[in-house]
Amino acid sequence: MDVSIENDPSFAVAVVDLAAQETVLAEGDAMTSMSGNVSIDTRRLSSGSNESTMDKITGAVGQMLAGESFLVNHLTAQGAGAEVVLSPTLPGDVQQYRLAAGTDLGI
């Protein structure tokens, strides 16, 4: 996966080049464009598969009240040369943060 930031700082987008079978996660309204060999699988963002039904409902309501999306797109390359372009909802800058495996980042 290779990420480059273009058109910064006012109308920045992240151009993500994916190798075959690589997946990038993005909020539903973040994808600006994609190449034809990218599949989309939309799932509910959850903190774990062992959540109770009440935990799932409470988490979804909390995310909605906070203005967060509780759906996330899994964008997967179905071959080499796949590209996804991601942008923020509002005009502004985009930053890239590289995280080690197993590391979380809350913003």
Side-chain angles (χ1 to χ4, degrees):
M1 183 179 309
D2 183 44
V3 179
S4 61
I5 308 299
E6 298 181 4
N7 305 325
D8 58 334
S10 297
F11 296 96
V13 296
V15 179
V16 183
D17 293 315
L18 299 170
Q21 300 307 309
E22 279 189 318
T23 299
V24 63
L25 305 182
E27 285 192 15
D29 60 353
M31 186 184 60
T32 303
S33 66
M34 66 179 196
S35 58
N37 60 340
V38 175
S39 68
I40 303 173
D41 181 26
T42 303
R43 303 178 195 167
R44 189 183 82 78
L45 185 62
S46 67
S47 58
S49 60
N50 58 352
E51 289 181 306
S52 70
T53 301
M54 185 52 88
D55 288 341
K56 290 178 183 180
I57 293 170
T58 303
V61 170
Q63 287 173 318
M64 288 185 338
L65 292 175
E68 297 176 16
S69 173
F70 62 95
L71 296 177
V72 64
N73 288 331
H74 293 238
L75 306 161
T76 303
Q78 298 302 308
E83 179 181 271
V84 175
V85 179
L86 304 172
S87 64
T89 304
L90 299 173
D93 206 0
V94 173
Q95 294 291 318
Q96 178 180 0
Y97 294 95
R98 292 195 181 272
L99 301 176
T103 304
D104 293 331
L105 174 65
I107 297 178

